[in-house]
Amino acid sequence: GNANFNYFNGDMDELGVWSRALTPAEISTMHTGSFSDVDSPEALWLFNEGSGTIVKNEVGSVESTITQS
C-alpha cells in the first residue's frame, strides 16, 4: 500500500519517551526546566554531545545515530 511519511523539519533540543501519560505539571516543568526533571523516562536524549552523529540515551543502553537529509 501507500505509506505517507511526514518527517520532522526543525531542531530538537531534548527528546524523551515515557510509558505513561504525563501530568500537566510535568509538562510545564519540561517547558521551564529540562526533560530530565520529570521522573521515570524510558528513554531520554539530551543532545549534549556537541559534535558527531551518535546521541547518548541518558537512561538506557540504546544509543541513536543522527542523520540529516
Side-chain angles (χ1 to χ4, degrees), residues 13-61:
D13 183 38
E14 297 177 344
L15 175 65
V17 177
W18 282 261
S19 61
R20 61 182 176 83
L22 300 178
T23 67
E26 289 172 321
I27 293 168
S28 179
T29 295
M30 288 189 296
H31 283 287
T32 59
S34 172
F35 278 31
S36 58
D37 295 334
V38 177
D39 289 333
S40 305
E42 298 294 321
L44 181 63
W45 296 274
L46 299 178
F47 300 101
N48 291 336
E49 287 72 20
S51 65
T53 60
I54 303 296
V55 181
K56 180 182 176 203
N57 180 355
E58 300 294 326
V59 297
S61 60

